Amino acid sequence: MSQKKIKNALVSVFHKDNLEPIITKLNALGVTIYSTGGTQKFIEEIGAPVTAVENLTSYPSILGGRVKTLHPKIFGGILSRRELAGDVAQLEEFEIPEIDLVIVDLYPFEDTVASGAGEQDIIEKIDIGGISLIRAAAKNFKDVLIVSSRSQYGYLIDLLNEKAGMSDLEDRKHLAKQAFNVSSHYDTAIFNWFNNNGGDVFKQSITDSQVLRYGENPHQEGVFYGDLDAMFEKLNGKELSYNNLLDVDAAVNLIAEFSERPTFAILKHNNACGLASRDTLLEAWKDALAGDPVSAFGGVLICNRPIDLATAQEVNNLFCEVVIAPDYEASALDVLKEKKNRVILRQKTVELPKKQFRTVLNGVLAQDKDLKTAGPNEFTTATKKAPTSLEVTDLAFANKIVKHTKSNTIVFAKSQQLLASGTGQTSRVDALKQAVVKAKAFGFDLQGAVMASDAFFPFPDCVELADEAGITAVVQPGGSIKDQDSVDYCDAHDMAMVMTGIRHFRH
């Protein structure tokens, strides 16, 4: 039969919150409840009848609670196939009740690891009985309903109310699928801890997902795996698209480089087209927009300070897809919400992953995230002339931007303002030429500006072109066998060059 009546339930959970309404409903439906340990005590305290598992198995909890439910009278009741006469006969022979509902959650292994607990505490949070109950009940979904997480309590209480203690095969199969999702995620977390998140095996599990309108293009399907609500509070606008999410990711990583002064960045296709640091957020916005007001149209905006009314009024003059800030003045939010489709996000403080993955060919590439950013203390002056203090500040500023720009790339900056960049070019010379053209197109004088490169110069042609454009100081990783050629050109033309030893390719 597709429909099954819940007669007996096993309840054994670590988290008791929101459990009471379920127990109350089961009791009202006349369901016999079996439980153990803390869950049994909880049920007794709310005044509901409960039978101790130990009374069913005639065996006590042993080994400090490590073994409680691992017994044939429990697993027989869960795994028995109701349509097989032999199974039914064995249940009668050994006085085993059919268990129709299992409510169990798992010890908080991931939370324990994240807390910095010691090895023994972590080991004790590897659930044995719970994971076994989940797998057994999910395997026998034709007869048993499995609730494997407190996140499913709402689903269960609705089911109990709507179907008066009955369940359909569709209900049971749905929860079985969820159960194997829970158990596989749990085992992945345990393996990765034992493996010290090593790179010899690729195992990742994310249980949250969001279906997107489409992927990179309308003919491609797209899904985001992760918990956006942990990262942002969405205050306005439509759902983020696949391309929005790529830009938002680039924006969040870029703005994290800037904390000392109010900073505004504008991104398009994962690259900054405008960025400035100023004494006020409004000034930062105006100078960021001046960097490339054409590309800014339809872009993603991000800043590192709460947005005030004056800044919001200026931002509102631009069509943009997404605005991200740590907070907003109420009046500023009202202004930004005038565009109903504009996505407005309040960014929360969340630790981001330190590993990156990308599908390639028939496998996956994994790498450590690029978390190194050389600042003034890491600069090594390679030329006879050292950069001025103002140039050093701008070199550090430009080097942060070049790190987050698609290769090959060149970045021009002056007075902590992005003047122009050449992005994603097949040659560094082309990237430099592109940056020069863009700077001139928007009326910037490059005299006294600085240049940052994501990788070394194999020939002196780049510094020669930069010199002709007015650049006076350069930051680059170094490492070419012909580094000295570029240094010699700078020395001969009164330019300063510093090296960082850190390349920032970005593909």
Side-chain angles (χ1 to χ4, degrees):
M1 291 176 59
S2 173
Q3 273 208 333
K4 298 287 183 178
K5 180 176 177 59
I6 300 172
K7 306 179 295 297
N8 300 303
L10 174 66
V11 185
S12 180
V13 298
F14 185 87
H15 300 99
K16 315 299 189 295
D17 37 318
N18 300 318
L19 181 63
E20 184 173 349
I22 293 174
I23 299 300
T24 302
K25 185 64 180 179
L26 291 174
N27 185 37
L29 292 169
V31 176
T32 299
I33 300 174
Y34 297 94
S35 190
T36 185
T39 308
Q40 177 190 338
K41 182 179 178 183
F42 172 85
I43 295 171
E44 291 171 342
E45 288 176 349
I46 64 175
V50 59
T51 299
V53 164
E54 290 88 339
N55 291 342
L56 174 62
T57 63
S58 300
Y59 214 92
S61 171
I62 62 172
L63 305 180
R66 280 191 167 195
V67 180
K68 291 180 287 191
T69 56
L70 295 168
H71 193 281
K73 281 203 170 184
I74 298 297
F75 281 86
I78 294 171
L79 286 166
S80 65
R81 293 155 291 188
R82 276 57 161 177
E83 77 279 9
L84 293 186
D87 284 13
V88 174
Q90 284 194 316
L91 292 189
E92 292 177 356
E93 179 184 357
F94 295 106
E95 299 181 335
I96 300 174
E98 292 178 347
I99 296 176
D100 315 293
L101 169 64
V102 175
I103 304 175
V104 62
D105 63 4
L106 300 171
Y107 292 158
F109 178 83
E110 289 178 282
D111 290 345
T112 304
V113 172
S115 73
E119 181 178 283
Q120 190 55 44
D121 289 332
I122 292 171
I123 292 295
E124 290 305 318
K125 290 299 184 290
I126 297 176
D127 207 312
I128 303 301
I131 203 81
S132 302
L133 291 168
I134 287 173
R135 290 179 63 85
K139 176 178 179 175
N140 202 27
F141 68 87
K142 288 184 178 181
D143 297 305
V144 180
L145 196 66
I146 171 64
V147 175
S148 55
S149 167
R150 54 182 166 167
S151 65
Q152 298 160 12
Y153 286 0
Y155 181 94
L156 176 61
I157 197 71
D158 289 343
L159 184 67
L160 294 174
N161 286 327
E162 292 170 9
K163 299 185 178 178
M166 304 291 289
S167 70
D168 296 328
L169 181 61
E170 183 181 354
D171 304 321
R172 298 191 296 276
K173 194 168 186 178
H174 168 74
L175 286 174
K177 180 188 77 171
Q178 298 298 321
F180 284 118
N181 185 26
V182 168
S183 66
S184 63
H185 177 81
Y186 195 75
D187 285 339
T188 295
I190 293 170
F191 169 79
N192 283 334
W193 178 75
F194 270 99
N195 199 39
N196 198 27
N197 291 306
D200 55 327
V201 174
F202 180 77
K203 285 186 184 292
Q204 294 293 316
S205 176
I206 301 174
T207 56
D208 297 298
S209 66
Q210 177 180 327
V211 177
L212 306 174
R213 296 195 302 275
Y214 51 81
E216 200 163 8
N217 299 291
H219 62 277
Q220 297 170 266
E221 293 182 357
V223 180
F224 172 76
Y225 296 99
D227 184 5
L228 282 178
D229 291 337
M231 185 88 204
F232 303 106
E233 179 183 358
K234 187 159 80 74
L235 305 173
N236 189 70
K238 58 188 179 181
E239 294 301 319
L240 290 166
S241 69
Y242 182 98
N243 292 327
N244 286 157
L245 287 167
L246 290 175
D247 282 331
V248 167
D249 176 69
V252 166
N253 284 290
L254 174 61
I255 204 68
E257 302 279 359
F258 300 90
S259 59
E260 294 181 2
R261 302 179 71 193
T263 301
F264 228 117
I266 307 170
L267 287 90
K268 199 74 170 289
H269 297 293
N270 308 164
N271 296 308
C273 58
L275 195 152
S277 295
R278 293 290 180 262
D279 291 333
T280 69
L281 196 62
L282 178 58
E283 292 174 311
W285 162 251
K286 289 180 177 179
D287 286 344
L289 180 61
D292 187 346
V294 175
S295 296
F297 182 85
V300 168
L301 319 181
I302 192 166
C303 60
N304 63 355
R305 298 289 192 277
I307 294 182
D308 54 79
L309 176 60
T311 304
Q313 289 171 331
E314 290 294 324
V315 169
N316 201 41
N317 293 325
L318 175 75
F319 168 72
C320 58
E321 290 273 347
V322 183
V323 181
I324 310 167
D327 210 346
Y328 303 82
E329 290 183 0
S331 56
L333 195 55
D334 289 339
V335 169
L336 294 173
K337 283 183 175 180
E338 290 176 3
K339 306 293 193 298
K340 65 177 184 179
N341 286 330
R342 176 186 285 153
V343 179
I344 303 174
L345 302 175
R346 179 184 284 123
Q347 185 177 348
K348 301 176 184 178
T349 302
V350 176
E351 184 178 356
L352 297 175
K354 293 181 173 59
K355 290 279 187 180
Q356 294 177 315
F357 309 104
R358 180 186 292 188
T359 57
V360 173
L361 301 175
N362 62 342
V364 175
L365 279 175
Q367 69 169 354
D368 295 333
K369 194 173 182 178
D370 184 359
L371 298 175
K372 291 186 176 181
T373 306
N377 292 336
E378 291 78 38
F379 290 169
T380 300
T381 302
T383 49
K384 294 176 183 177
K385 181 181 179 180
T388 67
S389 60
L390 290 177
E391 286 174 334
V392 168
T393 299
D394 281 340
L395 289 168
F397 176 88
N399 193 49
K400 291 176 181 178
I401 299 172
V402 86
K403 171 185 171 182
H404 294 274
T405 307
K406 296 291 185 181
S407 300
N408 289 308
T409 181
I410 291 291
V411 166
F412 294 151
K414 186 177 181 180
S415 301
Q416 294 185 67
Q417 179 186 19
L418 172 61
L419 303 185
S421 60
T423 63
Q425 298 302 303
T426 52
S427 85
R428 201 159 305 284
V429 171
D430 285 345
L432 196 153
K433 289 178 179 178
Q434 182 190 56
V436 171
V437 170
K438 289 194 72 173
K440 290 180 177 178
F442 295 114
F444 288 113
D445 180 6
L446 292 176
Q447 192 63 45
V450 305
M451 177 175 78
S453 174
D454 61 332
F456 62 62
F457 302 120
F459 305 103
D461 47 4
C462 282
V463 290
E464 182 178 349
L465 290 170
D467 176 38
E468 292 171 0
I471 300 298
T472 56
V474 179
V475 57
Q476 59 127 332
S480 169
I481 60 174
K482 293 186 177 181
D483 275 345
Q484 194 59 45
D485 291 352
S486 294
V487 172
D488 289 344
Y489 181 91
C490 289
D491 283 339
H493 295 82
D494 200 33
M495 296 174 70
M497 177 183 286
V498 299
M499 297 186 184
T500 65
I502 303 172
R503 189 182 73 183
H504 292 298
F505 272 168
R506 190 174 183 82
H507 296 101

